[in-house]
Amino acid sequence: MNRAGERYHVRTMKLAIATCSSLPDWEIDDAPLHEALVARNIEIAHEVWTNPDVQWNRYDACLIRTTWDYVQKIEHYLNWADQTADRIKLFNPARTVRWNTCKSYLRDLETSGLPVVPTRWIEAGTPVDLGTILDEEDWKRGFMKPRVGATAFGTMRFSADRDSLQDAQSNLDRMLQTQGMLIQPYLEDVETRGEWSGIFIDGVWSHAVQKIPVPGDYRVQDDFGATDQPGDADGPERAVSEQVMEVIRSHPEWTGEQDGMAPLYCRVDLLRSETRLMINEVELVEPSLFFRHHPKAADALADALIERC
């Protein structure tokens, strides 16, 4: 009440959850988040980011979640993020989207002293010979992925034998027609240990997940039959992921945040090569956050979102 004894009218917060038009029916990992938001009297609507009829200024904020079709529309996506952020609060911010959708952000992390998977950076249109790279780096097997990609799009493992190199060279030449590529050593431990992911909400450690591919595969996404389970939350992986978070917080020019504020959500993906831990990716735009393994993270994200709005 105010001093005159009259009741204030508290307007319901309206939140757009950005998604894509091709979201698979089985994707329900965000259900705990939706429930947490509704329980806090937030009015949510799932809006397809490519829909030109969406009136984004109807909402108080937009939370990017399952915009998984941006790879083939990257410039459109970046412009959408900029325009949406001009109208309402966007999480994570448009500057984060620009920095994190291109894997060149890994260069920034490496320059900051973080352990990133060794990488040869190939510019679009640049002719390269994969056999020469393997020889120069003394890698027995190699791995390629595009600078802009998701869900293993455009990735390929290869070895030094002629047939494998020929197939990989053809794939690389085709991909380089439109964008830059990353060439890395193939870390075979991914086939057995999988990928470890540490999740942060509002800059605070939340939980860990271990993603294991099907036997003989390297793809850790459930699109390809991979499984996931709660991961070790007290091992060296957590220490590395917390170093990543501290570095990110200290670089507002990457994230668009100020005063050491962390991104609203963050996922750090790590791989092992024997005893060495290396950063594979850091996801700040539309990652799966595996609420199914830690439902309290949904409550934490909902509360942090309200606080920031």
Side-chain angles (χ1 to χ4, degrees), residues 141 157 186 188 190-192 212-219 224:
R141 302 181 72 184
R157 62 186 169 186
Y186 179 64
E188 296 187 5
V190 70
E191 297 180 15
T192 53
I212 307 295
V214 299
D217 203 345
Y218 64 86
R219 295 170 296 185
F224 306 106

Side-chain angles (χ1 to χ4, degrees), residues 67 71 76 171 212 218 275:
T67 55
V71 173
H76 183 188
N171 184 64
I212 307 295
Y218 64 86
T275 60

Side-chain angles (χ1 to χ4, degrees), residues 14 118 120 125 240:
K14 295 183 178 181
R120 290 280 293 262
V240 172

Side-chain angles (χ1 to χ4, degrees), residues 18-24 47-51 66-69 73:
T19 186
C20 61
S21 60
S22 55
L23 190 68
E47 298 284 16
V48 175
W49 74 272
T50 52
N51 182 357
T66 49
T67 55
W68 294 338
D69 59 349
K73 313 166 188 176

